[in-house]
Amino acid sequence: DSGVTQTPKHLITATGQRVTLRCSPRSGDLSVYWYQQSLDQGLQFLIQYYNGEERAKGNILERFSAQQFPDLHSELNLSSLELGDSALYFCASSVGLAGGPRETQYFGPGTRLLVL
Amino acid sequence: GNSVTQMEGPVTLSEEAFLTINCTYTATGYPSLFWYVQYPGEGLQLLLKATKADDKGSNKGFEATYRKETTSFHLEKGSVQVSDSAVYFCALSDTGGGNKLTFGTGTQLKVEL
């Protein structure tokens, strides 16, 4: 158990809909990361937050947005869903930024999204 | 940009065989290198890491050495077990301010009795 929790575990929805994925980082971790794992794209970085502020952005679609709240949990919002958004979405957390690239990211169990 | 190249899978080995999974990278600066493992139906778990050239990461019998001259971080284990069956991901961390990870495509390992 990494200490990172994600809800829900599974999500089935229809095209055009909007969903929210939730992540609680390990106790004391200030950075939260979101990744998407799909068969055709592999594991791709979406976005990072550090202590409530957006820190880095990757291949995140404009239909997707995220935020980190004062209690440090994070939510990833996916809207106008398409079939191709079906994937496993992982959240990870790390202590902060001071360790830079040496920091270990701890991954949650993921949310499996199926868009029908 | 940064990239990671892993050997294609699946790799099928007999129990107690020697394992090598090749990983090479392209990066600017001095990234840290990681191996993560994903068991069926689960999230990614850190297996080992190395943060500077010539560092050797090791855990649970697995080892990998950060080779800057060959830009490689090959994963090795002397004697695999059935329980090692999983998908293994090589990754590097960004040095540009954030700490995002760039992953390889993953290598599926199947160990048979």
Side-chain angles (χ1 to χ4, degrees):
Chain A
D1 185 353
S2 67
V4 178
T5 60
Q6 289 187 248
T7 56
K9 190 163 184 167
H10 300 279
L11 201 47
I12 302 174
T13 189
T15 54
Q17 295 298 305
R18 172 189 169 95
V19 297
T20 297
L21 281 53
R22 182 188 168 101
C23 168
S24 293
R26 293 188 321 154
S27 177
D29 283 0
L30 298 178
S31 276
V32 170
Y33 311 77
W34 286 97
Y35 293 87
Q36 179 194 59
Q37 185 179 34
S38 62
L39 282 175
D40 54 344
Q41 298 288 329
L43 260 166
Q44 295 222 330
F45 168 74
L46 294 178
I47 197 163
Q48 175 194 359
Y49 278 81
Y50 170 71
N51 204 20
E53 300 289 327
E54 183 183 302
R55 181 65 182 170
K57 220 167 187 176
N59 299 323
I60 187 166
L61 299 171
E62 284 192 14
R63 300 184 286 107
F64 296 1
S65 64
Q67 57 185 131
Q68 186 179 27
F69 294 87
D71 68 351
L72 300 177
H73 91 271
S74 178
E75 292 181 357
L76 179 67
N77 299 297
L78 315 177
S79 61
S80 303
L81 285 167
E82 302 176 358
L83 297 178
D85 298 327
S86 296
L88 194 50
Y89 291 85
F90 286 111
C91 169
S93 72
S94 69
V95 172
L97 290 178
R102 297 183 299 278
E103 287 195 358
T104 295
Q105 293 181 28
Y106 296 89
F107 282 74
T111 293
R112 186 171 294 279
L113 173 66
L114 179 59
V115 182
L116 300 176
Chain B
N2 296 341
S3 67
V4 176
T5 302
Q6 277 183 247
M7 64 187 285
E8 293 283 332
V11 173
T12 303
L13 295 174
S14 299
E15 202 170 43
E16 299 184 3
F18 184 85
L19 168 71
T20 300
I21 300 179
N22 290 337
C23 171
T24 57
Y25 68 90
T26 302
T28 54
Y30 302 93
S32 290
L33 300 172
F34 304 82
W35 278 100
Y36 280 85
V37 59
Q38 186 176 28
Y39 297 100
E42 297 185 14
L44 287 88
Q45 299 176 26
L46 177 69
L47 183 59
L48 53 84
K49 74 177 188 181
T51 60
K52 60 183 189 297
D54 300 325
D55 264 4
K56 178 187 279 188
S58 61
N59 186 27
K60 299 180 183 178
F62 290 89
E63 293 183 340
T65 301
Y66 189 160
R67 301 282 189 205
K68 192 165 172 59
E69 63 277 9
T70 54
T71 61
S72 64
F73 192 55
H74 305 320
L75 182 68
E76 297 181 336
K77 187 176 186 184
S79 176
V80 293
Q81 305 300 311
V82 171
S83 58
D84 294 326
S85 298
V87 180
Y88 293 80
F89 291 91
C90 183
L92 64 82
S93 61
D94 185 67
T95 57
N99 299 338
K100 70 172 186 178
L101 293 174
T102 299
F103 286 91
T105 52
T107 301
Q108 184 173 8
L109 171 66
K110 183 177 180 183
V111 181
E112 300 174 332
L113 290 171

